[in-house]
Amino acid sequence: MNDIMQLLVDEFTGFFGIHHWMAMFRSGDYHSLLTWKGIQAALSPLIPVLLLIEMVRGGLYRTFKVENYKMPFLIYIVNRFISRYLSVGAVAFCIGLFEGHALFTTTLTWYWFIYGYIVWEFAHFVYHYLGHKVRLFWCLHSTHHAPEDMNLSVTYAHFFLEAPYADIIRTTICLLLGVNPPLLFLIMFIDGTWGAFIHVGENLLKDGRLGFLNKILLTPSHHRVHHAKNPLYMDTNFCNLLPIWDKAFGTLQTEEKEIKIEYGISRQVRRGHFGDAYFGEFYALFIDMKRAPGLINKLLYIVMPPGWSHTGDHKTAKIVRHNYLQQASDEPADQANPTYTN
């Protein structure tokens, strides 16, 4: 019984990231706050505490719904037991394999930090873009898009293999382009903190545009657009903090006041159902491959975008968005407005 209670205490303190604070309170020694590692540890409770405030504020204003948080927390619990060390292992593997093959080496200076962040955003864009444009990768990423509400718990909703594959892509690109590990870890910490914050829900932050920052950074408003299944918003805003690559590749989309965001994926998902959110896209891929004639068509379902069909009746995000924009401008669309199996 004591072991179970200790496990629960460890999980609670681990989720809120308060181990470091507890150790400082016990010892009375706060010198670690003068080190970068200590600052990182001290800031780790930020997102969990904001999540708690978001839930409490939602309860006070009677907008809190258990079903909006249930599935992300179930996913978080499952992932804690499955993938605790996979992502760290993937980063360490890439460092050992690719660090020696870098085109050049950066140092921990402000100008290399700017360079490194631009490279990191490119690497993140590549991973994120592939997560929406390659069916197999979408199966891993779709769990994060399955919730039908936006709140800070969504940041914990990921398929357990997504973080390792994401970090392999991002770390490899950064290392080969000269971003050395200390600089990379600093960028990953900043980007991870901001990447969690941009999932903040309307219970805590009604207008996610953040004023003038909406023109400079990827704000919660931009990320709400990214999580939307509205045709205009599909497959946009792939960056995490700096929208430079979304601007460069034409995937930046601002939130339109007259369009109410509809969260989730356009495949019908059983609301609050863990199994459907976690494995549903894998099952859908399996069915499509099973029905497809010939080995080539079966393999194409793995690598082509979600919505691609061997029959030629494609319902990809690109086609859905194109048709929507044509209809919005009163031009004849090439097809009827299809639904997108995201």
Side-chain angles (χ1 to χ4, degrees):
M1 187 64 181
N2 290 335
D3 290 341
I4 295 176
M5 288 301 298
Q6 186 59 49
L7 176 63
L8 292 176
V9 170
D10 289 343
E11 287 299 319
F12 177 83
T13 56
F15 176 78
F16 281 96
I18 57 177
H19 288 297
H20 187 70
W21 284 104
M22 291 173 65
M24 287 193 299
F25 289 148
R26 289 190 188 119
S27 65
D29 182 5
Y30 298 91
H31 285 90
S32 63
L33 295 176
L34 300 177
T35 66
W36 173 242
K37 186 176 180 180
I39 293 172
Q40 285 182 300
L43 289 176
S44 59
L46 176 62
I47 298 302
V49 169
L50 285 177
L51 170 59
L52 182 62
I53 294 172
E54 180 184 78
M55 295 172 67
V56 170
R57 196 169 187 273
L60 293 174
Y61 285 90
R62 298 183 180 180
T63 57
F64 174 82
K65 295 180 180 179
V66 173
E67 58 267 27
N68 291 339
Y69 293 86
K70 183 180 76 171
M71 184 170 58
F73 273 116
L74 284 174
I75 293 171
Y76 168 80
I77 291 170
V78 170
N79 287 349
R80 284 286 293 174
F81 289 97
I82 297 177
S83 63
R84 197 166 188 171
Y85 304 108
L86 285 179
S87 186
V88 175
V91 172
F93 172 79
C94 289
I95 290 174
L97 191 62
F98 296 111
E99 186 182 7
H101 301 285
L103 297 177
F104 50 86
T105 303
T106 59
T107 56
L108 203 59
T109 56
W110 68 267
Y111 47 88
W112 282 125
F113 173 79
I114 295 173
Y115 167 79
Y117 219 108
I118 293 173
V119 171
W120 169 266
E121 280 290 7
F122 175 72
H124 181 84
F125 182 95
V126 171
Y127 133 71
H128 207 172
Y129 185 86
L130 292 175
H132 283 253
K133 298 298 186 180
V134 176
R135 182 77 178 271
L136 179 60
F137 290 162
W138 170 248
C139 290
L140 300 176
H141 188 54
S142 64
T143 300
H144 185 56
H145 281 262
E148 295 181 345
D149 181 76
M150 179 59 78
N151 57 69
L152 284 168
S153 72
V154 176
T155 195
Y156 301 105
H158 290 275
F159 192 80
F160 79 98
L161 288 176
E162 184 179 15
Y165 108 82
D167 284 333
I168 286 174
I169 293 174
R170 295 183 296 196
T171 303
T172 300
I173 292 174
C174 288
L175 290 170
L176 291 178
L177 292 179
V179 183
N180 68 325
L183 182 57
L184 177 61
F185 291 140
L186 170 60
I187 292 170
M188 290 175 73
F189 170 74
I190 296 172
D191 204 68
T193 303
W194 183 262
F197 168 71
I198 56 178
H199 292 88
V200 64
E202 293 186 7
N203 283 340
L204 189 58
L205 191 64
K206 183 68 175 177
D207 185 353
R209 294 175 177 83
L210 302 183
F212 74 93
L213 291 178
N214 203 57
K215 296 182 179 180
I216 304 173
L217 306 178
L218 259 294
T219 62
S221 173
H222 286 112
H223 204 65
R224 290 169 187 177
V225 165
H226 176 74
H227 275 260
K229 59 183 177 181
N230 308 67
L232 177 64
Y233 294 155
M234 287 181 174
D235 285 7
T236 58
N237 301 346
F238 293 109
C239 290
N240 209 44
L241 173 61
L242 303 175
I244 48 178
W245 298 109
D246 280 311
K247 290 181 179 179
F249 295 114
T251 54
L252 185 64
Q253 174 63 53
T254 56
E255 181 181 354
E256 301 291 338
K257 292 182 179 180
E258 64 275 11
I259 299 178
K260 179 178 173 57
I261 291 180
E262 298 176 27
Y263 295 110
I265 60 179
S266 28
R267 176 181 66 82
Q268 188 64 43
V269 179
R270 294 170 61 185
R271 185 172 177 83
H273 192 280
F274 167 79
D276 198 10
Y278 210 74
F279 299 108
E281 287 298 320
F282 284 101
Y283 179 73
L285 173 60
F286 170 76
I287 295 298
D288 284 341
M289 293 178 65
K290 182 179 179 181
R291 293 172 178 171
L295 179 61
I296 297 299
N297 282 321
K298 294 181 187 298
L299 294 177
L300 283 174
Y301 270 109
I302 297 176
V303 298
M304 294 301 284
W308 179 87
S309 174
H310 70 276
T311 65
D313 183 23
H314 306 308
K315 299 175 181 177
T316 63
K318 182 177 180 180
I319 291 176
V320 172
R321 193 169 191 269
H322 173 72
N323 289 346
Y324 171 83
L325 292 173
Q326 280 193 325
Q327 292 175 357
S329 61
D330 294 324
E331 295 177 8
D334 294 332
Q335 321 175 20
N337 186 27
T339 56
Y340 171 41
T341 308
N342 199 0

